[in-house]
Each structure stands twice: as C-alpha cells, then as structure tokens.
Amino acid sequence: MGRTCEQSGSPAAEPEFDRLQRVYAQQTPESDRPAGEELATLPEVARSHRALAARRVAGKPLIQVLPQGAGSVVEIVTDDMPYLVESVLAGIGRVGGDVRRLVHPIVVVRRTVTGELLEVLADADPADAPAGAFVESWIHLDLAPLDGRAAALEQELRRVLQDVREVVEDGERMARRACDVADELLAPTPAAAAAERADVAELLRWLADGNFTFLGYRHYTLSDVDGAGPDRNGAVAGAWELHPELASGLGVLRRDTLATRTFAPKVEGAVAHDQLIFTRASVPSRVLRPVRPYYVGVRTFDAEGRTTGEHRFLGMLTVAALHENVLDIPLVARRVRAAIHRAGFPLESYSGQRMLEVISGLPREELFSASEQTLHDTAVGVLALAGRRAVRVFLHPDPYRRFMSCLVYLPRDRYTTSTRLAMADVLRDRLGGREVGYTARVTEASLALVHFTVYLDPAAREAGVPSVDVAALQDELTEAIRTWDDRLADEFGGEAGPALLDGIPESYKAVVTPAQAVEDLRRLLALEPGAFDVRLYSVPGAGGEHDAERRFTLYLADAPVTLTAILPVLQSLGVEVLDERPSEFVRPDGRRCWLYDFGLRIDEATLSALPGRGADDVARGFCSAFAAAWRGETETDRYSALVLRAGLGWREAAVLRAYGHYARQLGSPFGPQYMADVLLAQPDIARGLINLFRARFDPSVSDAERGVRVVEVLAVVSGLIDEVAGLDADRILRGYLGLVTATVRTNWFRGRGFFSFKFDPGVVAEMPVPRPWSEVFV
C-alpha cells in the first residue's frame, strides 16, 4: 500500500511544499492532462511523491505500483540519470501497460546518511546542485488498468533501473575500454593486415567519440574442448567454446551471471577470421530504446595469428552517428570508396555519386558489416533498376545464423502497410523465420527501401542459413506487392484495363477480389441512363452447395436508393438479407453509378430443392423475378417465393397469384398469404398446376398431343393432392386444380403486361349461384 500524508508528517504543512508544487507545475503543465481522464491533480501527485520519498538510500530506487480509480499509478523515486524516461516507458510497454500521463520533475533534496528526507530544495538548479545535495528523478505515470500485471511491472521496472544504473556508472569506462582495445590493435602483430587493424582501431575511437551509447562490455576467451584449436585462418579442427572472462564485464554485461550471456550470440562451432564483427545482439535492451542493441565484436589473436578471444561491446548509435557522412566513418569510408572504384567510376562522377547515394541510404548495421564486394553488388544492383518498376532483394545472413537481413527495394508508390505485411509473410515462409522486424526508408527517390530482419527459428537454424533462390524470392515479392488495380487489369485479359479503374472506391477493393470485380465493372459500364441490372452469384464454401455464400447485386445508374426500397422485394422472394455492401462509382463519362451487394440466406426447405436445378437457371429465374418487381410488372408478396421454392418463372407465379385472387373474389375463406404458404409447402403441386395450365393452353402444343399430356399431368397432380394431409391445404389445392380445369382460354402466352382468364362457371365448385354462362377475370 502507498504511504499517506500522515505517514510522511503532513508534507502539505512543510514550508517547501508550495515551492515543490511549483516545480511540478513548471515541468508538467496541467494542460498535459488527457481530456476526459479522471487523474490526480499535480498537487496530489506532488504530495504522494513527497510521501514516497520520505526515506531512500542513495543508489536504491523506490517503486510503487498502485490501483487508482479506473486505472493504475506507477511512482518512482531514484537518482537522476540519463536514459531513465525512455527506458521506463519501454519497460511498461513490454509488460503491456498503456501510459495515459507522464509527470517527471527533477528534484534537488538533502538527506541524512541513513536516507531520511531533510529538505526539498525546490528552488535549486538541478544542473548546479548545492554541495551535499542529491539530484533525484521523481517519476509519476498514470496507466490504464493492469489487470493483474502490477507485480510483473514492478519487477520489470526494478530490472530496468538496475540496468540503467550499471550503464550510466560504467559509461566512461566502456568508452575508455574501446580506446584501449584500439591501442592494442595498433601494436605490431602478424595476426591481420595492418590496414584492417588500423581501420578497426579508428572505428572504435570514432564510436567512443560520442557516436555510440555503450551499454555493455565483456572480454571472452577461446577455450578448446579437444585441444585442437583454430589455425591461423580461424578454421577450427575440433570443438571449442568462448567463455566470458571473470570480472571483465561492464554495463549490462557487468554481472558474472548467465543472464548477461543472453545478449551475446552463442557462436560455438565456427570462428570467423574477420577482425571486426558488427551485428545485432540476441535480445532487446532494457536501456534506452526497446530494440536489439548493436553487437561489436573485435577478435584477439596470439603472436602466431591464432584466434584467442573476443572483445564484445553492446550499444546503440547516437543521432549524430546515424546521420554521419559515410565518407567520414572509419573503415566504412575505405570500403565505400573501394566499392565505387570496383565499379569503374570515379567518386566525383555522376555514376559514382549515384552509387554513393545508394550506399548512404543503407541501414547503418549493413554499412558496418558489409564487405567491399557486398556494397558494390548492392549499389550496382539498385542502380540497374534504372526506373524499372521492379523489386530487388539482397540477403545478408547474420554471422551467427540467428537471423537473415533482407534489403528489399521496390517502387515508392507500391510501399504501403499491406504490401509490407505481404512481403514479411513471404520472407517468413521462405526463410523459415519465427518473427520479422522491419524499418522503412521512403523518400522522394523513386525507390523505397524496406529493411526486414527475419529471425530464424532456433530449432531450425542449427542446420545453417537456409539456401534461397533469390530470383524466385524476388518473383514472389513482386507478386506480393502487386496492387488490386494490377490484378484487375490482368483479369481483363490483356485489354487496356478497365475504363472505370479511377472511379473504383477503396472500400469496394477491400472486400471484392479483382476476379469478382470484373463482372461488376462490365455491368456498370454497360448501364444506360436511368437503367439497372441485377446479378445472383455464389461464393463457394467448404461444405459444398449448402455452405456456399449467395450474394445478390443491384446495379443502378444516375440515382441511389434506400434499403427500404430493396429489402421488401428481396424478402418477398423468400430470402433473408444478412448484410449489405454499397459502393458508389464514377464512370469515365462522368455518370455516377451505384452498386448494392447483399449477402443472402436461403431456408433449408428451399435449399433442398435447389440441387435438382442448375445454378444458372436458379440465378436467371431469381434475377428475372426481382427485375420484374423492380419495374413494377408484378406484385411483391408470398407468391414471389415460388420462384426459388418451386422453380417457377415470375410470370408462372403470377398465374397462381391470379387464381388465388379469383378464389377470394368467389368468397374463399382463405387469405392470399395463407394460400401462397400452402403452395410453398407443396412445391411439387405448384409446379404440377403450372404444368397442367401449360398443357391445356400452350399454343405450341398440338391438339393431338394436348389431350394425352393433359391426362398425364392431371393424374400426377391429383395423385399429389391426394397425399396432402390437412383439410385446409386439401381444400385450397383442389380449389386451384378446379380453377385451372375450369379455365376455357387465356391470353397469358402472348406475354403482355396483363393477362386474363375465361372461366366456365358451371364447373367451378365455389361459384355462387346464380352462375353466369361465362366469366372473364383480368
């Protein structure tokens, strides 16, 4: 639990407390409070900090993680040191914390030998503190709820502050150690070329001269397991290991524990003969930025030139180093000049300057680790693109087989988040990686550079760096960055490309594949002014026909519509609408078009009837029925569902609807919807009634054939009705049968916008008396 004001002797009553509040107000304005957040006021924060700081021994941080309101609070009191805020924020991020506010005053205090707080010197300058005073960082962080991670966060922050302290305490010693190693390299020895040793020495001095934030150092010695040891070229005849030299560690590598070994790669089994190794450490740093720090290894040799050990430095390049001219960096400058000279270009020439521009844009770790040949091949390969819209990839394996560095150059306008993710997936799959990191460099140049680091699976990397077909990998990456527009142009089969391309909304591209879009765009381009078109299609599912996703699309020109106009028509056709995807297009002629795409669900009873019919026939009948209703040529009611359920055309469903209305005119007690439901429950009978209607009146049937066909169809329909259970259903269906047989003639087959039936009232059982000699129903 946190201390209260009473526990600290009521700091609000102390004379310096008002001045302390002013320190908080000066360094953290109240305007920094997030809008809408219920956070403690700055005086409350100051009071809580003052209570926590009541007793602290120099060198020992105070940390408390407490729940507060709807979130959590972290409070830290520690000696003021560099890298504190960045390191603490990174540590919170590793645990999954979400920072809402940071309050970080630097406070000057006086304490007793035992750490009791005597006085807060609120007016003192931290940069020029009085003698005997302590300069402390008082850090307050408001976080989102930690959900049980408070203990883990406190433990992580203690590790962070310990690492920061070790780095700060040993910073100058690590820089001096780098200079000492540089002096050793300049001593006469046949172990390596004098020029290379001098370059490495100069590079170490450059790093120590404010260009490298040293995080750790340790010396490792080579130990033979079977006594063979490496030869003069570094080759190993037997087994060997590198062991840390006791008491040689500084910074995060200070402690002689296994924990410090996680930073350095395990390199047993292969000794490189290079004087310098520049790569990444094995794990992220807790100090400064939460990235894997650079690992600089300098090999040591005996008088006979055999490898004896290695100096290892961990750290990060400073901002100045990241922007340093490559021709001013020791070792790198010589390799860059040699790479340009190898290409046959003077450095001052146009081509030489272009090569220099490419090399200068490389990630710094690539610059330090790449050989002269590698720099040459990379620069020449990039320049060879010469405006071509192509992809080039350069692979550089880590010397310790932990990761693969991948430089991918691609057209600048093709670099997006989606293309980056697609390329990362390709590299992960082809290189056997477990995770992929990246940095991107996108400038005004025509090419963007994405530096991927593919961390290899530890179980797989024992087999060595995977063999990669670079040409095939480039082809896969090229395919991965192809845009939706590229694929659409291909789907149009070599045509100049869809004329509608510039008018396609991005929301449409996000949910529709180019292959599916071809038909949509062709229909939209073909729309006449004020016209419409419809389409029913299926997206296959894993479970076959019953698992297919069915979608319906309405295409409109000139004016949009509302859902209230579309849904009743679709629902009358017996489908349930699951979702809608509207899109607005602008054609090259300036005409605006709208596309409404609906996901449909068809009930099980209807689905069971679909397999016997072709998908094209089903789609044709459904679309024709919707179009007729949209044009106002037919009604939208339960009879419309017979199109899907019974496989009827919309005009055939209209025949049954007309007979139903006539039955109501004769006084039938059953409503139209109820009669339609009976027909929907008996789709075979509904089809049979239409077959009987066609057999009796289809003008294409000869008189000789008509009699035979009527008898056959009548027998089938009568038999089906005989099997129906339920008096109402039997009465309704026999009524339909009676009306069809009582029909004398019809103009239905003329295909006009209206149709009529002529009945013989004498054979209509439901006809009330007195019965007319004949009757026509329109």
Side-chain angles (χ1 to χ4, degrees):
M1 296 297 293
R3 297 174 174 85
T4 63
C5 295
E6 288 73 20
Q7 290 173 313
S8 61
S10 298
E14 296 180 4
E16 79 275 5
F17 188 69
D18 289 340
R19 295 193 298 274
L20 177 63
Q21 292 186 63
R22 289 199 297 272
V23 172
Y24 277 77
Q26 291 169 358
Q27 301 190 24
T28 310
E30 191 70 22
S31 60
D32 284 354
R33 177 193 295 222
E37 296 283 359
E38 293 295 332
L39 305 179
T41 63
L42 290 179
E44 291 171 339
V45 172
R47 184 173 292 106
S48 178
H49 252 155
R50 177 66 173 76
L52 177 64
R55 180 184 178 88
R56 187 185 76 85
V57 178
K60 298 293 183 181
L62 300 175
I63 303 173
Q64 65 180 7
V65 181
L66 303 170
Q68 184 177 85
S72 301
V73 167
V74 174
E75 290 187 334
I76 299 172
V77 175
T78 186
D79 298 312
D80 185 50
M81 298 176 287
Y83 322 134
L84 272 177
V85 174
E86 307 99 307
S87 304
V88 166
L89 292 176
I92 292 173
R94 279 190 294 274
V95 179
D98 180 16
V99 177
R100 294 176 173 172
R101 182 178 64 168
L102 167 68
V103 180
H104 176 221
I106 299 175
V107 182
V108 181
V109 301
R110 293 189 188 277
R111 294 184 181 273
T112 65
V113 176
T114 59
E116 297 290 341
L117 181 60
L118 294 176
E119 184 182 8
V120 176
L121 305 176
D123 295 329
D125 183 0
D128 187 22
F134 295 90
V135 180
E136 299 181 342
S137 277
W138 291 13
I139 302 175
H140 172 98
L141 299 121
D142 293 289
L143 310 181
L146 289 171
D147 300 327
R149 291 167 291 172
L153 176 58
E154 182 174 343
Q155 183 179 14
E156 175 65 21
L157 292 178
R158 291 192 183 281
R159 292 174 180 172
V160 166
L161 296 180
Q162 181 179 5
D163 283 358
V164 170
R165 181 174 298 280
E166 292 173 346
V167 168
V168 171
E169 290 178 348
D170 292 345
E172 292 186 6
R173 295 177 61 192
M174 288 186 284
R176 287 198 301 270
R177 190 73 189 98
C179 294
D180 292 343
V181 174
D183 293 340
E184 295 170 7
L185 287 171
L186 297 177
T189 176
E196 180 185 3
R197 293 169 61 83
D199 280 343
V200 174
E202 286 302 311
L203 178 62
L204 288 175
R205 293 184 184 280
W206 179 82
L207 293 175
D209 188 22
N211 291 297
F212 198 68
T213 301
F214 289 91
L215 300 180
Y217 164 80
R218 183 176 282 276
H219 181 249
Y220 288 76
T221 57
L222 187 68
S223 149
D224 296 337
V225 175
D226 57 10
D231 61 19
R232 291 177 61 88
N233 295 322
V236 179
W240 63 276
E241 290 180 352
L242 278 174
H243 290 286
E245 180 182 322
L246 293 178
S248 67
L250 297 172
V252 296
L253 300 179
R254 175 195 292 181
R255 285 156 285 165
D256 294 316
T257 65
L258 292 176
T260 62
R261 301 188 186 184
T262 59
F263 284 100
K266 183 178 180 181
V267 297
E268 289 80 354
V271 178
H273 55 79
D274 292 335
Q275 182 77 63
L276 176 73
I277 299 172
F278 198 102
T279 183
R280 289 281 187 178
S282 297
V283 297
S285 169
R286 281 195 172 91
V287 181
L288 206 55
R289 297 183 295 275
V291 297
R292 288 174 169 83
Y294 292 110
Y295 154 54
V296 182
V298 181
R299 290 292 162 84
T300 59
F301 303 91
D302 61 15
E304 299 179 358
R306 293 178 300 192
T307 304
T308 59
E310 181 178 296
H311 296 284
R312 288 182 176 174
F313 295 91
L314 295 179
M316 298 182 188
L317 294 172
T318 62
V319 174
L322 291 174
H323 296 88
E324 182 85 341
N325 188 333
V326 296
L327 298 180
D328 294 333
I329 303 176
L331 180 66
V332 173
R334 179 177 61 80
R335 292 177 180 175
V336 170
R337 293 178 184 274
I340 296 175
H341 179 73
R342 181 185 290 264
F345 304 129
L347 178 61
E348 295 77 14
S349 68
Y350 171 75
S351 297
Q353 289 296 300
R354 290 192 65 201
M355 285 189 68
L356 178 61
E357 181 181 3
V358 172
I359 294 173
S360 299
L362 294 175
R364 292 289 145 151
E365 62 197 88
E366 292 291 312
L367 274 176
F368 287 107
S369 62
S371 65
E372 170 191 324
Q373 183 66 51
T374 299
L375 291 175
H376 168 271
D377 294 344
T378 301
V380 171
V382 173
L383 293 180
L385 292 176
R388 294 161 47 207
R389 296 183 63 77
V391 175
R392 285 298 301 269
V393 59
F394 301 92
L395 304 179
H396 303 146
D398 169 57
Y400 301 122
R401 304 190 299 271
R402 298 165 300 156
F403 59 82
M404 183 77 81
S405 177
C406 311
L407 298 176
V408 180
Y409 289 86
L410 69 157
R412 181 183 60 188
D413 60 348
R414 294 301 174 87
Y415 176 75
T416 63
T417 299
S418 60
T419 57
R420 174 180 60 78
L421 294 174
M423 290 190 293
D425 289 341
V426 170
L427 293 172
R428 181 187 297 106
D429 293 341
R430 293 296 168 262
L431 300 179
R434 58 183 174 84
E435 63 175 299
V436 181
Y438 84 98
T439 57
R441 185 172 184 266
V442 185
T443 65
E444 68 280 358
S446 60
L447 295 176
L449 168 61
V450 188
H451 179 209
F452 292 101
T453 304
V454 182
Y455 297 96
L456 305 179
D457 189 335
R461 71 186 185 208
E462 298 300 329
V465 176
S467 176
V468 181
D469 184 339
V470 176
L473 180 60
Q474 284 182 166
D475 290 342
E476 289 191 60
L477 292 173
T478 300
E479 178 64 24
I481 70 165
R482 293 179 70 228
T483 65
W484 192 94
D485 294 348
D486 295 333
R487 293 183 169 87
L488 179 66
D490 289 346
E491 290 292 340
F492 268 76
E495 300 175 15
L500 198 59
L501 199 58
D502 293 336
I504 301 176
E506 293 300 321
S507 58
Y508 175 82
K509 296 178 182 179
V511 295
V512 179
T513 66
Q516 294 172 334
V518 170
E519 184 64 23
D520 287 341
L521 299 184
R522 284 178 173 158
R523 290 175 182 257
L524 287 170
L525 288 170
L527 285 178
E528 296 294 332
F532 73 96
D533 196 0
V534 290
R535 176 189 175 207
L536 179 69
Y537 64 100
S538 296
V539 180
E545 178 71 14
H546 277 62
D547 193 40
E549 179 188 7
R550 289 174 175 81
R551 304 199 68 85
F552 172 78
T553 307
L554 171 63
Y555 309 90
L556 294 173
D558 298 326
V561 295
T562 62
L563 276 177
T564 55
I566 303 174
L567 291 182
V569 182
L570 289 174
Q571 291 167 346
S572 71
L573 289 167
V575 297
E576 180 183 356
V577 177
L578 302 179
D579 64 84
E580 180 209 17
R581 298 197 300 237
S583 302
E584 182 180 354
F585 296 77
V586 180
R587 299 197 322 195
D589 59 6
R591 188 173 300 280
R592 306 182 80 82
C593 300
W594 283 263
L595 179 154
Y596 300 91
D597 190 69
F598 299 91
L600 305 182
R601 176 183 292 150
I602 302 176
D603 60 65
E604 290 297 325
T606 303
L607 279 174
S608 63
L610 292 183
R613 289 175 266 157
D616 291 341
D617 292 337
V618 173
R620 191 179 302 111
F622 185 91
C623 291
S624 178
F626 182 93
W630 195 252
R631 288 190 296 264
E633 296 176 356
T634 185
E635 301 175 49
T636 54
D637 55 19
R638 288 290 289 162
Y639 286 97
S640 301
L642 290 168
V643 171
L644 272 183
R645 180 69 63 84
L648 303 181
W650 68 270
R651 295 188 76 249
E652 293 174 327
V655 168
L656 298 177
R657 178 186 296 112
Y659 280 125
H661 287 325
Y662 185 63
R664 285 288 294 169
Q665 181 174 301
L666 294 178
S668 172
F670 305 108
Q673 180 168 325
Y674 186 67
M675 288 188 283
D677 287 338
V678 170
L679 290 171
L680 288 169
Q682 306 293 334
D684 291 341
I685 296 177
R687 282 193 299 272
L689 292 170
I690 292 299
N691 290 338
L692 179 60
F693 178 79
R694 284 185 173 277
R696 297 194 66 218
F697 303 110
D698 190 344
S700 65
V701 179
S702 65
D703 292 339
E705 185 183 358
R706 189 182 311 279
V708 176
R709 186 177 296 184
V710 168
V711 172
E712 291 176 349
V713 175
L714 184 58
V716 171
V717 175
S718 299
L720 291 173
I721 294 176
D722 289 341
E723 297 175 0
V724 172
L727 295 178
D728 287 351
D730 181 84
R731 181 176 175 183
I732 290 171
L733 295 173
R734 292 191 186 278
Y736 268 103
L737 180 60
L739 291 177
V740 174
T741 57
T743 303
V744 176
R745 65 181 60 173
T746 180
N747 70 343
W748 184 85
F749 289 94
R750 290 183 178 272
R752 295 178 177 176
F754 67 95
F755 54 89
S756 59
F757 305 124
K758 183 178 181 181
F759 294 99
D760 179 0
V763 295
V764 179
E766 290 82 3
M767 178 71 70
V769 293
R771 296 177 178 179
W773 177 78
S774 67
E775 186 169 47
V776 176
F777 180 77
V778 181

